Amino acid sequence: MPPAPPPAAGARRRALPWAVIALWIVVLAVSGVFAGKLGGVKHDEAVDYLPASAQSTQVARIQQAMPGGGATDLVLVYRRASGLTAADQDAVRRQTAALGTAYALVGAAPHTVTAADGRTAMVPVAIAESAGKPEDVVKAVRARLADGRPSGLQVLVGGPGAAQADAKGVFASIDGTLLMSTAAVVALLLILTYRSPFLWLVPLGVVGVAAGTATAVVYGLVEAFGLTVSNMSSSVMTVLIFGAGTDYALLLISRYRDELRHRAEPYEAMTAALRGVGPAVLTSAATVVAGLLCLLAADLNSSRGLGPVGAVGIVCALAAMTTLLPAVLVLLGRRVFWPLVPSYGSESRAGRGVYRRIGGLVTRRPLVALAASVIAVGALALGIGNLPGALRQDDTFTTTPDSVAADTILHRAFPSRSTQAVTVVVPTARAAAAAAAVRGTAGVASSTSGRSGGGWSEISVFPAAAPDSPAEHDTIRRLRAATAPEHALVGGVSAQRLDTASTSSRDRTLVVPLVLGAVFLLLAGLLRSLVAPLLLTAAMVAVWAAALGIGGLLFGPVLGLHGMDPGLPLLSFVFLVALGVDYGIFLMHRMREETVRGAEPRRATVTALEATGGVIASAGIVLAATFTVLASLPLVMMEEMGVVIALGVLLDTFVVRTFLVPAAAVLLGERVWWGGGSAAPSRLRRGVAMSSSASRR
């Protein structure tokens, strides 16, 4: 039996967990005051998602400073399948006039455009932002139009303002649903993993504390530094906390269970567990934080704003899982594992399961395992060629809200012209010359002059091509070239989408190398090697490509998604590399431990796979399941992100981390640790052996 600790040391050990819990109770009490306020400071306006330096963003900001401020751009849609009647036309005029009386309108006066078949009419309307929030304005307008319309006349409200309001309504309704769904998924998986009626409550409760703390911290950053938080970034933060936090808990609890078999006191077992997994968990969290903070270099506002919000979530999850979770587990003792209590001196059943057999297979035929894994991952990556084109406004939702239904009717009724204006803002002194340049631009169907103020004037331009079409984008490019001599700027919804796509491409070329460099440096510091980090980062790039390839095979043919958000490749890369490399850290760090202890490369690989295979599998399933919750949301971007990241994590867990990386490590042998200098495992092993020999003499 180990000697009993001195009374003073024993008292400190009993007091420390209680002190940690008391500190977290204070943190939770303070954060509870501020966490609920985050919803009131979220921003989901167009400029919060647009490229920071693009013309379309500058146009949106200039419009906000003009008389009446920014506008809620709507298109009123009237349709009767048998053809609009005189009573219908009268209702259109009456309702349009009523809106002009009820609200301050900006830009050109509303005018009715009737389709050639006489069945559909549209009225573009721009309501000043002084009327209220877009979602409130759209709700009120829809209510007004529903009253007093002739029987059988279909009336819908579409346009950019309606689409934005519908999107915000979706996010507003999913905050609680997302949290509850994620918690339920994690709870179910923890119950299946631990097969205990009590243990699953501990990590789930600690993750909940981390989520509440992170929400309060983000609110503090908003108030102190003006950090922009959108509903999208807060939703992703919730998923990150539950996914990554549960992964850290699984790794720590697995090691703690093993240490309880070798140590009589839970405090000593937890200390050993933290010492064993601490470097891996810290490096894992650091890679995710570093990857997310690399998004600060992005020019796309939605990507850049997600970086610090996600990083706060990871830091809070790490803090809770390395302090609060150990304190609670130590106080609860061994009984928290009931009915599978790890008694002191008992044998662990780890190593007698499937991962021992997989380790044996990989070490016997490493070349076959490596080749099969590379071929499988490479074949899946070929699906990238089948990814759909850019996501159109009408394809933003997986459901069909009124804004989408309205735009669908407009596209069918007006196939040869745009139903949404492209906005040109120009210094007022040059407005006449700019208007002439606009009229002379190929692809422009019509244009009207709008507001003036603050030294700027508006020109509303209607292209001849359909919205979001390549022809319309070409018209926008020609408009920018034609009006550039007049110092004009071209914006509007279609211009915003064009700028978003081009900026996303630019961001990828900048952020991807930054993420890879940051991850490589952190791995090199942990593993004391140059080859092992190269192996892990290359494997994660392959996983990312394969995950996007799977998306190409599923989005259109299976899921019926007709477009891809341009920000998906970058965001999925950051999450898959930063989160997926966690499992590589767990595996390679354990492999290095075994090598230092004297195991030859094949034995070290098998032992590491046995020790970490089960926990990596559990962690991968939990992380994939949490991101799958995003796929259930009625927004195409969130569904696509959830699908790609979830499938990428599963591919990494069960193919790359189980077969490809171990097989490559076996083939490389000691060379996998090349570049470690005096800290290389082989040298450390020889040092340990020499020390042991000297002590025996």
Side-chain angles (χ1 to χ4, degrees), residues 136-165:
D136 295 334
V137 170
V138 171
K139 182 178 180 181
V141 169
R142 284 172 173 162
R144 283 177 173 273
L145 299 185
D147 294 333
R149 61 181 176 182
S151 177
L153 177 64
Q154 185 179 10
V155 184
L156 296 170
V157 179
Q164 179 184 341

PDB file of all heavy atoms in Angstrom, residues 136-165:
ATOM      1  N   ASP A 136     -39.618  43.309 -37.790  1.00  0.00           N
ATOM      2  CA  ASP A 136     -40.887  43.895 -37.342  1.00  0.00           C
ATOM      3  C   ASP A 136     -41.624  44.567 -38.499  1.00  0.00           C
ATOM      4  O   ASP A 136     -42.857  44.472 -38.610  1.00  0.00           O
ATOM      5  CB  ASP A 136     -40.619  44.914 -36.235  1.00  0.00           C
ATOM      6  CG  ASP A 136     -40.043  44.278 -34.980  1.00  0.00           C
ATOM      7  OD1 ASP A 136     -40.301  43.083 -34.757  1.00  0.00           O
ATOM      8  OD2 ASP A 136     -39.319  44.976 -34.237  1.00  0.00           O
ATOM      9  N   VAL A 137     -40.860  45.252 -39.360  1.00  0.00           N
ATOM     10  CA  VAL A 137     -41.472  45.919 -40.515  1.00  0.00           C
ATOM     11  C   VAL A 137     -42.107  44.889 -41.449  1.00  0.00           C
ATOM     12  O   VAL A 137     -43.244  45.062 -41.916  1.00  0.00           O
ATOM     13  CB  VAL A 137     -40.421  46.761 -41.263  1.00  0.00           C
ATOM     14  CG1 VAL A 137     -40.980  47.267 -42.592  1.00  0.00           C
ATOM     15  CG2 VAL A 137     -39.972  47.930 -40.400  1.00  0.00           C
ATOM     16  N   VAL A 138     -41.377  43.819 -41.738  1.00  0.00           N
ATOM     17  CA  VAL A 138     -41.888  42.795 -42.654  1.00  0.00           C
ATOM     18  C   VAL A 138     -43.145  42.151 -42.082  1.00  0.00           C
ATOM     19  O   VAL A 138     -44.129  41.921 -42.810  1.00  0.00           O
ATOM     20  CB  VAL A 138     -40.803  41.735 -42.932  1.00  0.00           C
ATOM     21  CG1 VAL A 138     -41.384  40.552 -43.697  1.00  0.00           C
ATOM     22  CG2 VAL A 138     -39.647  42.353 -43.715  1.00  0.00           C
ATOM     23  N   LYS A 139     -43.135  41.871 -40.795  1.00  0.00           N
ATOM     24  CA  LYS A 139     -44.315  41.273 -40.170  1.00  0.00           C
ATOM     25  C   LYS A 139     -45.525  42.197 -40.291  1.00  0.00           C
ATOM     26  O   LYS A 139     -46.641  41.757 -40.616  1.00  0.00           O
ATOM     27  CB  LYS A 139     -44.018  40.978 -38.700  1.00  0.00           C
ATOM     28  CG  LYS A 139     -45.170  40.311 -37.958  1.00  0.00           C
ATOM     29  CD  LYS A 139     -44.785  40.012 -36.509  1.00  0.00           C
ATOM     30  CE  LYS A 139     -45.934  39.353 -35.762  1.00  0.00           C
ATOM     31  NZ  LYS A 139     -45.561  39.078 -34.338  1.00  0.00           N
ATOM     32  N   ALA A 140     -45.296  43.515 -40.051  1.00  0.00           N
ATOM     33  CA  ALA A 140     -46.398  44.475 -40.130  1.00  0.00           C
ATOM     34  C   ALA A 140     -46.898  44.637 -41.561  1.00  0.00           C
ATOM     35  O   ALA A 140     -48.114  44.723 -41.804  1.00  0.00           O
ATOM     36  CB  ALA A 140     -45.945  45.823 -39.566  1.00  0.00           C
ATOM     37  N   VAL A 141     -45.995  44.667 -42.531  1.00  0.00           N
ATOM     38  CA  VAL A 141     -46.390  44.810 -43.938  1.00  0.00           C
ATOM     39  C   VAL A 141     -47.202  43.600 -44.384  1.00  0.00           C
ATOM     40  O   VAL A 141     -48.225  43.729 -45.077  1.00  0.00           O
ATOM     41  CB  VAL A 141     -45.150  45.011 -44.830  1.00  0.00           C
ATOM     42  CG1 VAL A 141     -45.523  44.900 -46.310  1.00  0.00           C
ATOM     43  CG2 VAL A 141     -44.509  46.371 -44.550  1.00  0.00           C
ATOM     44  N   ARG A 142     -46.774  42.415 -43.995  1.00  0.00           N
ATOM     45  CA  ARG A 142     -47.514  41.213 -44.372  1.00  0.00           C
ATOM     46  C   ARG A 142     -48.921  41.242 -43.778  1.00  0.00           C
ATOM     47  O   ARG A 142     -49.892  40.822 -44.426  1.00  0.00           O
ATOM     48  CB  ARG A 142     -46.756  39.969 -43.912  1.00  0.00           C
ATOM     49  CG  ARG A 142     -45.548  39.640 -44.788  1.00  0.00           C
ATOM     50  CD  ARG A 142     -44.694  38.522 -44.233  1.00  0.00           C
ATOM     51  NE  ARG A 142     -43.656  38.140 -45.194  1.00  0.00           N
ATOM     52  CZ  ARG A 142     -42.566  37.457 -44.891  1.00  0.00           C
ATOM     53  NH1 ARG A 142     -42.357  37.057 -43.640  1.00  0.00           N
ATOM     54  NH2 ARG A 142     -41.680  37.161 -45.821  1.00  0.00           N
ATOM     55  N   ALA A 143     -49.027  41.723 -42.550  1.00  0.00           N
ATOM     56  CA  ALA A 143     -50.351  41.807 -41.932  1.00  0.00           C
ATOM     57  C   ALA A 143     -51.235  42.816 -42.664  1.00  0.00           C
ATOM     58  O   ALA A 143     -52.435  42.572 -42.874  1.00  0.00           O
ATOM     59  CB  ALA A 143     -50.211  42.192 -40.461  1.00  0.00           C
ATOM     60  N   ARG A 144     -50.655  43.948 -43.073  1.00  0.00           N
ATOM     61  CA  ARG A 144     -51.432  44.959 -43.802  1.00  0.00           C
ATOM     62  C   ARG A 144     -51.928  44.417 -45.139  1.00  0.00           C
ATOM     63  O   ARG A 144     -53.080  44.641 -45.537  1.00  0.00           O
ATOM     64  CB  ARG A 144     -50.568  46.194 -44.053  1.00  0.00           C
ATOM     65  CG  ARG A 144     -50.386  47.097 -42.841  1.00  0.00           C
ATOM     66  CD  ARG A 144     -49.459  48.257 -43.176  1.00  0.00           C
ATOM     67  NE  ARG A 144     -49.411  49.221 -42.086  1.00  0.00           N
ATOM     68  CZ  ARG A 144     -50.249  50.228 -41.931  1.00  0.00           C
ATOM     69  NH1 ARG A 144     -51.222  50.412 -42.824  1.00  0.00           N
ATOM     70  NH2 ARG A 144     -50.154  51.055 -40.914  1.00  0.00           N
ATOM     71  N   LEU A 145     -51.058  43.709 -45.854  1.00  0.00           N
ATOM     72  CA  LEU A 145     -51.436  43.227 -47.187  1.00  0.00           C
ATOM     73  C   LEU A 145     -52.459  42.107 -47.121  1.00  0.00           C
ATOM     74  O   LEU A 145     -53.187  41.865 -48.092  1.00  0.00           O
ATOM     75  CB  LEU A 145     -50.192  42.746 -47.943  1.00  0.00           C
ATOM     76  CG  LEU A 145     -49.101  43.795 -48.209  1.00  0.00           C
ATOM     77  CD1 LEU A 145     -47.996  43.206 -49.073  1.00  0.00           C
ATOM     78  CD2 LEU A 145     -49.684  45.027 -48.884  1.00  0.00           C
ATOM     79  N   ALA A 146     -52.495  41.410 -45.988  1.00  0.00           N
ATOM     80  CA  ALA A 146     -53.462  40.311 -45.868  1.00  0.00           C
ATOM     81  C   ALA A 146     -54.887  40.823 -45.727  1.00  0.00           C
ATOM     82  O   ALA A 146     -55.846  40.089 -46.007  1.00  0.00           O
ATOM     83  CB  ALA A 146     -53.098  39.436 -44.670  1.00  0.00           C
ATOM     84  N   ASP A 147     -55.034  42.082 -45.300  1.00  0.00           N
ATOM     85  CA  ASP A 147     -56.376  42.655 -45.105  1.00  0.00           C
ATOM     86  C   ASP A 147     -56.848  43.366 -46.375  1.00  0.00           C
ATOM     87  O   ASP A 147     -56.087  44.062 -47.035  1.00  0.00           O
ATOM     88  CB  ASP A 147     -56.366  43.663 -43.947  1.00  0.00           C
ATOM     89  CG  ASP A 147     -56.082  42.992 -42.608  1.00  0.00           C
ATOM     90  OD1 ASP A 147     -56.390  41.795 -42.484  1.00  0.00           O
ATOM     91  OD2 ASP A 147     -55.525  43.665 -41.714  1.00  0.00           O
ATOM     92  N   GLY A 148     -58.117  43.187 -46.707  1.00  0.00           N
ATOM     93  CA  GLY A 148     -58.739  43.943 -47.786  1.00  0.00           C
ATOM     94  C   GLY A 148     -58.336  43.543 -49.182  1.00  0.00           C
ATOM     95  O   GLY A 148     -58.536  44.306 -50.129  1.00  0.00           O
ATOM     96  N   ARG A 149     -57.783  42.364 -49.374  1.00  0.00           N
ATOM     97  CA  ARG A 149     -57.427  41.946 -50.727  1.00  0.00           C
ATOM     98  C   ARG A 149     -58.595  41.174 -51.331  1.00  0.00           C
ATOM     99  O   ARG A 149     -59.333  40.483 -50.621  1.00  0.00           O
ATOM    100  CB  ARG A 149     -56.178  41.076 -50.712  1.00  0.00           C
ATOM    101  CG  ARG A 149     -56.334  39.784 -49.915  1.00  0.00           C
ATOM    102  CD  ARG A 149     -55.051  38.977 -49.915  1.00  0.00           C
ATOM    103  NE  ARG A 149     -55.174  37.787 -49.083  1.00  0.00           N
ATOM    104  CZ  ARG A 149     -54.188  36.925 -48.866  1.00  0.00           C
ATOM    105  NH1 ARG A 149     -53.009  37.141 -49.408  1.00  0.00           N
ATOM    106  NH2 ARG A 149     -54.372  35.864 -48.106  1.00  0.00           N
ATOM    107  N   PRO A 150     -58.791  41.247 -52.624  1.00  0.00           N
ATOM    108  CA  PRO A 150     -59.870  40.492 -53.277  1.00  0.00           C
ATOM    109  C   PRO A 150     -59.684  38.993 -53.084  1.00  0.00           C
ATOM    110  O   PRO A 150     -58.552  38.489 -53.007  1.00  0.00           O
ATOM    111  CB  PRO A 150     -59.731  40.898 -54.751  1.00  0.00           C
ATOM    112  CG  PRO A 150     -59.024  42.212 -54.719  1.00  0.00           C
ATOM    113  CD  PRO A 150     -58.090  42.142 -53.564  1.00  0.00           C
ATOM    114  N   SER A 151     -60.776  38.287 -53.035  1.00  0.00           N
ATOM    115  CA  SER A 151     -60.731  36.842 -52.860  1.00  0.00           C
ATOM    116  C   SER A 151     -59.987  36.190 -54.024  1.00  0.00           C
ATOM    117  O   SER A 151     -60.205  36.530 -55.183  1.00  0.00           O
ATOM    118  CB  SER A 151     -62.152  36.278 -52.770  1.00  0.00           C
ATOM    119  OG  SER A 151     -62.122  34.874 -52.679  1.00  0.00           O
ATOM    120  N   GLY A 152     -59.084  35.254 -53.701  1.00  0.00           N
ATOM    121  CA  GLY A 152     -58.338  34.522 -54.728  1.00  0.00           C
ATOM    122  C   GLY A 152     -57.053  35.189 -55.162  1.00  0.00           C
ATOM    123  O   GLY A 152     -56.279  34.598 -55.923  1.00  0.00           O
ATOM    124  N   LEU A 153     -56.797  36.412 -54.702  1.00  0.00           N
ATOM    125  CA  LEU A 153     -55.558  37.103 -55.064  1.00  0.00           C
ATOM    126  C   LEU A 153     -54.455  36.695 -54.079  1.00  0.00           C
ATOM    127  O   LEU A 153     -54.596  36.870 -52.872  1.00  0.00           O
ATOM    128  CB  LEU A 153     -55.763  38.625 -55.024  1.00  0.00           C
ATOM    129  CG  LEU A 153     -54.522  39.470 -55.321  1.00  0.00           C
ATOM    130  CD1 LEU A 153     -54.044  39.246 -56.753  1.00  0.00           C
ATOM    131  CD2 LEU A 153     -54.811  40.951 -55.070  1.00  0.00           C
ATOM    132  N   GLN A 154     -53.376  36.152 -54.612  1.00  0.00           N
ATOM    133  CA  GLN A 154     -52.239  35.762 -53.780  1.00  0.00           C
ATOM    134  C   GLN A 154     -51.325  36.968 -53.588  1.00  0.00           C
ATOM    135  O   GLN A 154     -50.917  37.613 -54.551  1.00  0.00           O
ATOM    136  CB  GLN A 154     -51.456  34.616 -54.440  1.00  0.00           C
ATOM    137  CG  GLN A 154     -50.321  34.067 -53.582  1.00  0.00           C
ATOM    138  CD  GLN A 154     -49.584  32.915 -54.264  1.00  0.00           C
ATOM    139  OE1 GLN A 154     -49.805  32.647 -55.452  1.00  0.00           O
ATOM    140  NE2 GLN A 154     -48.727  32.237 -53.534  1.00  0.00           N
ATOM    141  N   VAL A 155     -51.020  37.280 -52.331  1.00  0.00           N
ATOM    142  CA  VAL A 155     -50.171  38.424 -52.009  1.00  0.00           C
ATOM    143  C   VAL A 155     -49.021  37.946 -51.128  1.00  0.00           C
ATOM    144  O   VAL A 155     -49.251  37.354 -50.062  1.00  0.00           O
ATOM    145  CB  VAL A 155     -50.944  39.536 -51.282  1.00  0.00           C
ATOM    146  CG1 VAL A 155     -50.036  40.745 -51.050  1.00  0.00           C
ATOM    147  CG2 VAL A 155     -52.180  39.937 -52.065  1.00  0.00           C
ATOM    148  N   LEU A 156     -47.790  38.182 -51.572  1.00  0.00           N
ATOM    149  CA  LEU A 156     -46.598  37.776 -50.827  1.00  0.00           C
ATOM    150  C   LEU A 156     -45.627  38.942 -50.745  1.00  0.00           C
ATOM    151  O   LEU A 156     -45.656  39.848 -51.581  1.00  0.00           O
ATOM    152  CB  LEU A 156     -45.913  36.578 -51.497  1.00  0.00           C
ATOM    153  CG  LEU A 156     -46.710  35.269 -51.562  1.00  0.00           C
ATOM    154  CD1 LEU A 156     -46.000  34.263 -52.452  1.00  0.00           C
ATOM    155  CD2 LEU A 156     -46.901  34.700 -50.163  1.00  0.00           C
ATOM    156  N   VAL A 157     -44.760  38.885 -49.748  1.00  0.00           N
ATOM    157  CA  VAL A 157     -43.723  39.904 -49.588  1.00  0.00           C
ATOM    158  C   VAL A 157     -42.366  39.231 -49.745  1.00  0.00           C
ATOM    159  O   VAL A 157     -42.011  38.334 -48.972  1.00  0.00           O
ATOM    160  CB  VAL A 157     -43.807  40.597 -48.212  1.00  0.00           C
ATOM    161  CG1 VAL A 157     -42.699  41.648 -48.072  1.00  0.00           C
ATOM    162  CG2 VAL A 157     -45.168  41.239 -48.032  1.00  0.00           C
ATOM    163  N   GLY A 158     -41.637  39.646 -50.769  1.00  0.00           N
ATOM    164  CA  GLY A 158     -40.307  39.104 -51.015  1.00  0.00           C
ATOM    165  C   GLY A 158     -39.263  40.194 -50.990  1.00  0.00           C
ATOM    166  O   GLY A 158     -39.468  41.272 -50.452  1.00  0.00           O
ATOM    167  N   GLY A 159     -38.125  39.914 -51.605  1.00  0.00           N
ATOM    168  CA  GLY A 159     -37.046  40.885 -51.645  1.00  0.00           C
ATOM    169  C   GLY A 159     -36.025  40.657 -50.548  1.00  0.00           C
ATOM    170  O   GLY A 159     -36.226  39.847 -49.628  1.00  0.00           O
ATOM    171  N   PRO A 160     -34.898  41.374 -50.596  1.00  0.00           N
ATOM    172  CA  PRO A 160     -33.810  41.174 -49.624  1.00  0.00           C
ATOM    173  C   PRO A 160     -34.239  41.398 -48.179  1.00  0.00           C
ATOM    174  O   PRO A 160     -33.833  40.654 -47.287  1.00  0.00           O
ATOM    175  CB  PRO A 160     -32.765  42.210 -50.052  1.00  0.00           C
ATOM    176  CG  PRO A 160     -33.071  42.519 -51.475  1.00  0.00           C
ATOM    177  CD  PRO A 160     -34.549  42.368 -51.627  1.00  0.00           C
ATOM    178  N   GLY A 161     -35.046  42.425 -47.927  1.00  0.00           N
ATOM    179  CA  GLY A 161     -35.475  42.692 -46.558  1.00  0.00           C
ATOM    180  C   GLY A 161     -36.312  41.565 -45.991  1.00  0.00           C
ATOM    181  O   GLY A 161     -36.158  41.189 -44.822  1.00  0.00           O
ATOM    182  N   ALA A 162     -37.189  41.000 -46.804  1.00  0.00           N
ATOM    183  CA  ALA A 162     -38.016  39.886 -46.348  1.00  0.00           C
ATOM    184  C   ALA A 162     -37.176  38.638 -46.102  1.00  0.00           C
ATOM    185  O   ALA A 162     -37.396  37.904 -45.131  1.00  0.00           O
ATOM    186  CB  ALA A 162     -39.112  39.599 -47.374  1.00  0.00           C
ATOM    187  N   ALA A 163     -36.194  38.394 -46.984  1.00  0.00           N
ATOM    188  CA  ALA A 163     -35.316  37.234 -46.799  1.00  0.00           C
ATOM    189  C   ALA A 163     -34.509  37.370 -45.509  1.00  0.00           C
ATOM    190  O   ALA A 163     -34.336  36.403 -44.755  1.00  0.00           O
ATOM    191  CB  ALA A 163     -34.385  37.094 -48.001  1.00  0.00           C
ATOM    192  N   GLN A 164     -33.998  38.582 -45.240  1.00  0.00           N
ATOM    193  CA  GLN A 164     -33.252  38.812 -44.010  1.00  0.00           C
ATOM    194  C   GLN A 164     -34.135  38.614 -42.786  1.00  0.00           C
ATOM    195  O   GLN A 164     -33.720  38.006 -41.787  1.00  0.00           O
ATOM    196  CB  GLN A 164     -32.670  40.225 -44.013  1.00  0.00           C
ATOM    197  CG  GLN A 164     -31.879  40.572 -42.750  1.00  0.00           C
ATOM    198  CD  GLN A 164     -31.396  42.016 -42.756  1.00  0.00           C
ATOM    199  OE1 GLN A 164     -31.331  42.660 -43.794  1.00  0.00           O
ATOM    200  NE2 GLN A 164     -31.067  42.531 -41.580  1.00  0.00           N
ATOM    201  N   ALA A 165     -35.360  39.111 -42.847  1.00  0.00           N
ATOM    202  CA  ALA A 165     -36.282  38.947 -41.724  1.00  0.00           C
ATOM    203  C   ALA A 165     -36.613  37.482 -41.493  1.00  0.00           C
ATOM    204  O   ALA A 165     -36.670  37.018 -40.344  1.00  0.00           O
ATOM    205  CB  ALA A 165     -37.559  39.744 -41.980  1.00  0.00           C
TER     206      ALA A 165
END
